[in-house]
Amino acid sequence: MLLMPWTPPTDIEAQLQAATARGDWDGQLGALAVAELYVDADRAEADGLVPPAPLVPYRDPASKKRCLPVFTRGALPPWRPDRVFQRTALDELALEWPHDKWHLAVNPGQPSAAVVPATPLDREAWLEVYAEAPPRAPGLLLSLYTGPLHGPLAHGLACGAPFAVRDGVPWNELGGVYRDYDEDRAVLHGAWGVVDPAGWWHLTQRLLAGDGAGREAGFALRAREGLARHSADGAPATAQWREAVAHVLTHRAAPAAEVRALDATVTRIADTEEQLVRDAVLPPGQRVSSVAAHDLAGAVTLARLGLSARLCSPADAERVVLAAGEAARRTYGSWPAFSAGLLLGGALAPGAGDPRAAVSAHDTAVTVHRLLLGDPAGPWLNIPWS
């Protein structure tokens, strides 16, 4: 039988495998000190539905040691509805270790497996190595080398890449965790108002339909398109655009509050597009055609969060990601156009009104835009738009 060569999911697993192969204990600790580590937990226990069971070590078949297992992010076991993953780190393990004679088993049964002693002296060394490890840099484009890199699923996941960079997670992962089971549930509840599968499904469908932050903006942008089609001069001036939107709404007997809200939206769109030109996101004279990108990137993120929180199945999450990719291709003609729509949608999203916070969020989003369009190994330069 021809065995395929092993591909490390991330650089962490590669470092662990190499350090273990050469018997380099310091190298193992160095990799673990900068790694996100995860503990496999019973979902009912994590939800507080049953009391936590006592920790029971297993006998590692290779080393014959009594061990407690942890996993690096790239080596997490497959998704299961009844098991979840809670994030930890080397310093937390050192401070909370339950038994001096037990060993730490990292990625048991995998090529990147390592068995690390955990005596009190060993754990002091863990803390020293962790304290000296460089902090994880924010705003990195992270990939799973074993995740989707080409094809429709990768394209859909790449539509969520800006939010993945923001959140510090690999862009092309659709698996057992987004950041951490408990944190992901809290984010779904606090930021999205989602607490159950029905709420998750309802919101994903709204986002896929562009019914989120971009509803008012969509009306305003369609009005501008209509004006441009009937004008020999192309896109109308902002004053003409505002007047046309107000006229349509008044003709429909819309409430005065709605007229004022749409007028403010038109002004914010025009101001943001001018800023995008100054940021070199938009070429001079070009305009954003749709802000659906913000909702579609949100749908991809929601699919990944829902999968981590066990509010949907892998098949459900994959369907949402594929649908987001298809909707993006129908709406935009390129990754730069998609990104411009996302940036404008972010500027118009609820909660974007605080001026200082809005400027900071915009600057961060522009930095991510440049990263994704400038990284030769990134998805936007390697996955064809259509």
Side-chain angles (χ1 to χ4, degrees):
M1 178 187 295
L2 179 63
L3 296 177
M4 297 295 291
W6 176 64
T7 300
T10 74
D11 293 340
I12 292 294
E13 289 78 32
Q15 293 168 24
L16 271 174
Q17 193 272 342
T20 302
R22 63 177 181 264
D24 180 1
W25 186 77
D26 290 337
Q28 289 177 332
L29 284 188
L32 294 176
V34 297
E36 288 184 300
L37 302 175
Y38 289 87
V39 177
D40 179 17
D42 179 83
R43 181 182 173 188
E45 291 181 20
D47 289 345
L49 301 177
V50 298
L55 288 173
V56 178
Y58 80 99
R59 182 77 66 177
D60 181 66
S63 67
K64 310 303 181 187
K65 305 294 186 182
R66 287 159 64 82
C67 301
L68 289 180
V70 298
F71 299 90
T72 56
R73 181 168 191 127
L76 286 172
W79 185 95
R80 283 175 49 181
D82 59 334
R83 305 296 299 181
V84 298
F85 303 111
Q86 296 173 316
R87 188 166 50 182
T88 185
L90 191 62
D91 65 331
E92 292 180 31
L93 291 170
L95 295 171
E96 299 172 4
W97 195 255
H99 199 294
D100 292 346
K101 292 187 177 181
W102 294 354
H103 285 58
L104 174 67
V106 184
N107 303 338
Q110 303 189 40
S112 57
V115 174
V116 180
T119 67
L121 285 176
D122 291 319
R123 299 199 303 273
E124 285 183 19
W126 297 4
L127 290 171
E128 290 175 5
V129 173
Y130 184 86
E132 294 172 358
R136 197 173 183 208
L140 296 178
L141 176 58
L142 305 173
S143 301
L144 281 183
Y145 306 134
T146 51
L149 295 169
H150 305 285
L153 184 59
H155 185 281
L157 287 168
C159 291
F163 292 167
V165 172
R166 177 199 65 189
D167 295 337
V169 300
W171 70 268
N172 63 332
E173 184 181 34
L174 197 59
V177 70
Y178 186 69
R179 281 168 293 203
D180 166 85
Y181 176 70
D182 295 331
E183 184 179 350
D184 293 341
R185 290 177 67 215
V187 167
L188 281 168
H189 184 199
W192 298 88
V194 171
V195 296
D196 55 27
W200 175 87
W201 183 88
H202 178 71
L203 183 54
T204 58
Q205 301 313 300
R206 280 190 58 208
L207 292 174
L208 290 173
D211 230 7
R215 196 170 189 179
E216 287 184 350
F219 175 85
L221 292 173
R222 287 192 297 274
R224 181 171 67 180
E225 253 183 54
L227 286 171
R229 281 197 301 269
H230 295 90
S231 170
D233 299 327
T238 301
Q240 182 188 359
W241 182 17
R242 291 173 62 188
E243 184 180 337
V245 168
H247 176 76
V248 170
L249 292 175
T250 303
H251 181 72
R252 294 179 180 179
E258 184 178 345
V259 176
R260 288 194 298 272
L262 261 297
D263 184 71
T265 296
V266 168
T267 301
R268 287 179 67 188
I269 290 173
D271 291 346
T272 303
E273 286 180 331
E274 289 178 8
Q275 182 61 53
L276 292 176
V277 171
R278 291 193 294 272
D279 293 330
V281 171
L282 280 175
Q286 188 172 320
R287 297 290 179 260
V288 176
S289 61
S290 168
V291 294
H294 194 268
D295 285 347
L296 297 175
V300 173
T301 304
L302 196 65
R304 298 182 63 183
L305 285 166
L307 193 58
S308 172
R310 304 310 189 259
L311 297 184
C312 66
S313 70
D316 293 331
E318 185 171 317
R319 277 193 288 269
V320 170
V321 171
L322 289 171
E326 291 169 4
R329 283 192 294 270
R330 288 195 304 268
T331 307
Y332 300 96
S334 66
W335 287 114
F338 175 86
S339 186
L342 190 148
L343 285 163
L344 177 56
L348 299 173
D354 179 356
R356 282 186 295 183
V359 169
S360 175
H362 176 82
D363 290 346
T364 299
V366 170
T367 299
V368 172
H369 163 92
R370 291 171 179 156
L371 171 65
L372 284 164
L373 286 174
D375 189 331
W380 287 9
L381 293 185
N382 286 281
I383 299 175
W385 181 255
S386 58

